[in-house]
Structure formats: C-alpha cells, structure tokens
Coordinates of all heavy atoms in Angstrom, one line a residue:
Y370 N -23.4 -145.7 76.2 CA -24.8 -146.0 76.7 C -24.9 -145.8 78.2 O -23.9 -146.0 78.9 CB -25.1 -147.5 76.4 CG -25.2 -147.8 74.9 CD1 -24.1 -148.3 74.2 CD2 -26.4 -147.7 74.2 CE1 -24.1 -148.6 72.9 CE2 -26.5 -148.0 72.9 CZ -25.3 -148.4 72.2 OH -25.4 -148.7 70.9
G371 N -26.1 -145.5 78.7 CA -26.3 -145.4 80.1 C -27.4 -146.3 80.5 O -28.3 -146.7 79.7
L372 N -27.4 -146.7 81.8 CA -28.5 -147.5 82.4 C -28.9 -146.8 83.7 O -28.1 -146.7 84.6 CB -28.1 -148.9 82.6 CG -29.2 -149.9 83.0 CD1 -29.5 -149.9 84.5 CD2 -30.5 -149.8 82.2
C373 N -30.1 -146.3 83.7 CA -30.6 -145.7 85.0 C -31.5 -146.7 85.7 O -32.5 -147.1 85.1 CB -31.4 -144.4 84.6 SG -32.1 -143.6 86.1
D374 N -31.2 -147.0 86.9 CA -31.9 -148.0 87.7 C -32.4 -147.3 89.0 O -31.6 -146.8 89.7 CB -31.0 -149.2 88.0 CG -31.7 -150.3 88.7 OD1 -32.9 -150.2 88.9 OD2 -31.1 -151.3 89.0
C375 N -33.7 -147.4 89.2 CA -34.2 -146.8 90.4 C -34.0 -147.8 91.6 O -34.3 -148.9 91.5 CB -35.7 -146.6 90.3 SG -36.2 -145.5 88.9
N376 N -33.3 -147.3 92.6 CA -32.9 -148.1 93.7 C -34.1 -148.6 94.6 O -34.9 -147.8 95.0 CB -31.9 -147.4 94.6 CG -30.7 -146.9 93.9 OD1 -30.3 -147.4 92.8 ND2 -30.0 -145.9 94.5
N377 N -34.2 -149.9 94.7 CA -35.3 -150.5 95.5 C -36.6 -149.8 95.2 O -37.3 -149.3 96.2 CB -34.9 -150.4 97.0 CG -33.6 -150.9 97.4 OD1 -33.1 -151.9 96.8 ND2 -32.8 -150.2 98.2
F378 N -37.0 -149.8 94.0 CA -38.0 -148.9 93.5 C -39.3 -148.8 94.3 O -39.7 -147.8 94.7 CB -38.3 -149.1 92.0 CG -39.3 -148.2 91.4 CD1 -39.0 -146.8 91.4 CD2 -40.4 -148.7 90.7 CE1 -40.0 -145.9 90.9 CE2 -41.3 -147.8 90.2 CZ -41.1 -146.4 90.2
Y379 N -39.9 -150.0 94.4 CA -41.2 -150.0 95.1 C -41.1 -149.5 96.6 O -41.9 -148.7 97.0 CB -41.8 -151.4 95.1 CG -42.1 -152.0 93.8 CD1 -42.4 -153.3 93.6 CD2 -42.2 -151.2 92.7 CE1 -42.8 -153.9 92.4 CE2 -42.5 -151.7 91.4 CZ -42.8 -153.1 91.3 OH -43.1 -153.6 90.1
A380 N -40.1 -149.9 97.3 CA -39.8 -149.4 98.6 C -39.5 -147.9 98.6 O -40.0 -147.2 99.5 CB -38.7 -150.2 99.3
S381 N -38.8 -147.5 97.7 CA -38.5 -146.0 97.6 C -39.7 -145.2 97.3 O -39.9 -144.1 97.8 CB -37.4 -145.8 96.5 OG -36.2 -146.4 96.8
C382 N -40.7 -145.7 96.5 CA -41.9 -145.0 96.2 C -42.7 -144.8 97.5 O -43.3 -143.8 97.8 CB -42.8 -145.8 95.2 SG -42.2 -145.7 93.5
E383 N -42.7 -145.8 98.4 CA -43.4 -145.7 99.6 C -42.8 -144.7 100.6 O -43.4 -144.0 101.3 CB -43.5 -147.1 100.3 CG -44.2 -148.2 99.5 CD -45.7 -147.9 99.4 OE1 -46.3 -147.0 100.0 OE2 -46.4 -148.7 98.6
R384 N -41.5 -144.6 100.5 CA -40.7 -143.7 101.4 C -40.9 -142.3 100.9 O -40.9 -141.4 101.8 CB -39.2 -144.0 101.4 CG -38.8 -145.2 102.3 CD -37.4 -145.5 102.2 NE -36.9 -146.3 103.3 CZ -35.8 -146.9 103.4 NH1 -34.9 -146.8 102.3 NH2 -35.4 -147.7 104.4
V385 N -41.2 -142.0 99.7 CA -41.3 -140.7 99.2 C -42.4 -139.9 99.9 O -42.3 -138.8 100.3 CB -41.6 -140.6 97.7 CG1 -42.1 -139.3 97.2 CG2 -40.4 -141.1 96.9
F386 N -43.5 -140.6 100.2 CA -44.7 -140.0 100.8 C -44.8 -140.3 102.3 O -45.8 -140.0 102.9 CB -45.9 -140.5 100.1 CG -45.9 -140.2 98.6 CD1 -45.5 -141.1 97.7 CD2 -46.3 -138.9 98.2 CE1 -45.5 -140.8 96.3 CE2 -46.3 -138.6 96.8 CZ -45.9 -139.5 95.9
N387 N -43.8 -140.9 102.9 CA -43.7 -141.2 104.3 C -42.2 -141.1 104.7 O -41.6 -142.2 104.9 CB -44.3 -142.6 104.6 CG -44.5 -142.8 106.1 OD1 -44.0 -142.0 106.9 ND2 -45.2 -143.9 106.5
P388 N -41.7 -139.9 104.9 CA -40.3 -139.8 105.2 C -39.8 -140.5 106.5 O -38.7 -140.8 106.7 CB -40.1 -138.3 105.4 CG -41.3 -137.7 104.6 CD -42.4 -138.6 104.8
S389 N -40.8 -140.8 107.4 CA -40.4 -141.5 108.6 C -39.9 -142.9 108.4 O -39.3 -143.5 109.2 CB -41.7 -141.6 109.6 OG -42.7 -142.4 109.0
L390 N -40.1 -143.4 107.1 CA -39.6 -144.7 106.8 C -38.1 -144.8 106.4 O -37.5 -145.8 106.3 CB -40.4 -145.3 105.6 CG -41.9 -145.5 105.8 CD1 -42.6 -145.9 104.5 CD2 -42.1 -146.6 106.9
V391 N -37.5 -143.6 106.3 CA -36.1 -143.5 105.9 C -35.3 -144.1 107.1 O -35.4 -143.7 108.2 CB -35.7 -142.1 105.7 CG1 -34.2 -142.0 105.4 CG2 -36.4 -141.5 104.5
G392 N -34.4 -145.1 106.7 CA -33.6 -145.8 107.7 C -34.3 -147.0 108.4 O -33.7 -147.7 109.1
R393 N -35.6 -147.1 108.1 CA -36.3 -148.3 108.6 C -36.5 -149.3 107.6 O -36.7 -149.1 106.4 CB -37.7 -147.8 109.1 CG -38.6 -148.8 109.7 CD -40.0 -148.2 110.1 NE -40.9 -149.2 110.5 CZ -42.2 -148.9 110.7 NH1 -42.7 -147.7 110.5 NH2 -43.0 -149.9 111.1
P394 N -36.4 -150.6 108.0 CA -36.6 -151.7 107.0 C -38.0 -151.6 106.3 O -39.0 -151.5 107.0 CB -36.5 -153.0 107.8 CG -35.8 -152.6 109.1 CD -36.2 -151.2 109.3
V395 N -38.1 -151.8 105.0 CA -39.3 -151.7 104.3 C -39.4 -152.9 103.3 O -38.4 -153.2 102.6 CB -39.4 -150.4 103.5 CG1 -40.7 -150.4 102.6 CG2 -39.4 -149.2 104.4
V396 N -40.5 -153.6 103.3 CA -40.8 -154.6 102.3 C -42.1 -154.3 101.6 O -43.0 -153.8 102.2 CB -40.8 -156.0 102.9 CG1 -39.4 -156.4 103.5 CG2 -41.9 -156.2 103.9
V397 N -42.2 -154.7 100.3 CA -43.4 -154.6 99.5 C -43.8 -156.0 99.1 O -42.9 -156.8 98.7 CB -43.2 -153.7 98.3 CG1 -44.5 -153.7 97.5 CG2 -42.9 -152.3 98.7
L398 N -45.1 -156.4 99.2 CA -45.6 -157.7 99.0 C -46.2 -157.8 97.6 O -46.7 -156.9 97.1 CB -46.6 -158.1 100.1 CG -46.1 -158.0 101.5 CD1 -47.2 -158.3 102.5 CD2 -44.9 -158.9 101.8
S399 N -46.3 -159.0 97.1 CA -46.9 -159.3 95.8 C -48.4 -159.3 96.0 O -49.0 -159.0 97.0 CB -46.5 -160.7 95.4 OG -47.0 -161.7 96.3
N400 N -49.1 -159.5 94.9 CA -50.6 -159.6 94.9 C -51.1 -160.5 96.0 O -50.5 -161.6 96.2 CB -51.1 -160.0 93.5 CG -50.9 -159.0 92.4 OD1 -51.0 -157.8 92.7 ND2 -50.6 -159.4 91.2
N401 N -52.1 -160.1 96.6 CA -52.7 -160.8 97.8 C -51.8 -161.0 98.9 O -51.9 -161.9 99.7 CB -53.2 -162.2 97.3 CG -54.5 -162.1 96.5 OD1 -55.5 -161.4 96.9 ND2 -54.5 -162.7 95.3
D402 N -50.8 -160.1 99.0 CA -49.9 -160.1 100.2 C -49.2 -161.4 100.3 O -49.0 -162.0 101.4 CB -50.6 -159.7 101.5 CG -51.0 -158.2 101.4 OD1 -50.6 -157.5 100.6 OD2 -51.8 -157.9 102.3
G403 N -48.8 -162.0 99.2 CA -48.3 -163.4 99.2 C -46.8 -163.5 99.6 O -46.4 -164.1 100.6
C404 N -45.9 -162.8 98.9 CA -44.5 -162.9 99.1 C -43.8 -161.6 98.8 O -44.4 -160.7 98.3 CB -43.9 -164.0 98.3 SG -44.0 -163.8 96.5
V405 N -42.5 -161.5 99.2 CA -41.8 -160.2 99.1 C -41.3 -160.0 97.7 O -40.7 -160.9 97.1 CB -40.5 -160.3 100.1 CG1 -39.7 -159.0 99.9 CG2 -41.0 -160.4 101.5
I406 N -41.6 -158.8 97.2 CA -41.1 -158.5 95.8 C -40.2 -157.3 95.8 O -39.7 -156.9 94.7 CB -42.3 -158.3 94.8 CG1 -43.2 -157.1 95.3 CG2 -43.1 -159.6 94.7 CD1 -44.3 -156.8 94.3
A407 N -40.1 -156.6 96.9 CA -39.2 -155.5 97.0 C -38.7 -155.3 98.4 O -39.5 -155.5 99.4 CB -39.8 -154.2 96.5
R408 N -37.4 -154.9 98.6 CA -36.9 -154.7 99.9 C -36.0 -153.4 100.0 O -35.3 -153.2 99.0 CB -36.0 -155.9 100.3 CG -36.7 -157.2 100.1 CD -35.6 -158.3 100.0 NE -34.9 -158.1 98.7 CZ -33.7 -158.7 98.5 NH1 -33.1 -159.4 99.4 NH2 -33.1 -158.5 97.3
S409 N -36.0 -152.7 101.0 CA -35.1 -151.7 101.2 C -33.7 -152.3 101.6 O -33.7 -153.5 102.0 CB -35.5 -150.7 102.3 OG -35.5 -151.3 103.6
N410 N -32.7 -151.5 101.6 CA -31.4 -152.1 102.0 C -31.4 -152.6 103.5 O -30.7 -153.6 103.8 CB -30.3 -151.0 101.9 CG -30.0 -150.6 100.4 OD1 -30.2 -151.5 99.5 ND2 -29.5 -149.4 100.2
E411 N -32.1 -151.9 104.3 CA -32.2 -152.3 105.7 C -32.9 -153.7 105.8 O -32.5 -154.5 106.7 CB -33.0 -151.3 106.5 CG -32.3 -149.9 106.6 CD -32.5 -149.0 105.4 OE1 -33.3 -149.5 104.5 OE2 -32.0 -147.9 105.4
A412 N -33.9 -153.9 105.0 CA -34.6 -155.2 105.0 C -33.7 -156.3 104.5 O -33.7 -157.4 105.0 CB -35.9 -155.1 104.2
K413 N -32.9 -156.0 103.4 CA -31.9 -156.9 102.9 C -30.9 -157.4 104.0 O -30.5 -158.5 104.1 CB -31.2 -156.4 101.7 CG -32.1 -156.1 100.5 CD -31.3 -155.4 99.4 CE -32.2 -155.0 98.2 NZ -31.5 -154.2 97.2
A414 N -30.5 -156.4 104.8 CA -29.5 -156.6 105.8 C -30.1 -157.6 106.9 O -29.3 -158.3 107.6 CB -29.1 -155.3 106.5
L415 N -31.4 -157.7 107.0 CA -32.0 -158.6 108.0 C -32.1 -160.0 107.5 O -32.5 -160.9 108.2 CB -33.4 -158.1 108.3 CG -33.5 -156.8 109.1 CD1 -35.0 -156.4 109.3 CD2 -32.9 -156.9 110.5
G416 N -31.7 -160.2 106.2 CA -31.7 -161.5 105.6 C -33.0 -161.8 104.9 O -33.2 -163.0 104.4

C-alpha cells in the first residue's frame, strides 16, 4: 500500500501561484480568519 500526502497542502497551494513565497513563512487561517489551520515549515520553525 502507498500513502501520498501533500506537504503543508494549503500553504503549498498558495506558493504555487506566488513563487516569491518560497522560503518565506506562510500560514493559512480558518473561516473568518480565526485561527491557523496550515503552516509552512518556516512557520512551524517560528513556533
């Protein structure tokens, strides 16, 4: 069996169409910009 997992998916989707975000911390917020639901590795490193 295999498991394919998209890395930091929501953040990766945003980077696809904005290459300047590569290497920069990225976070994606929940509905109504409430809380963090996705983080790039750089954002995770910030705690």
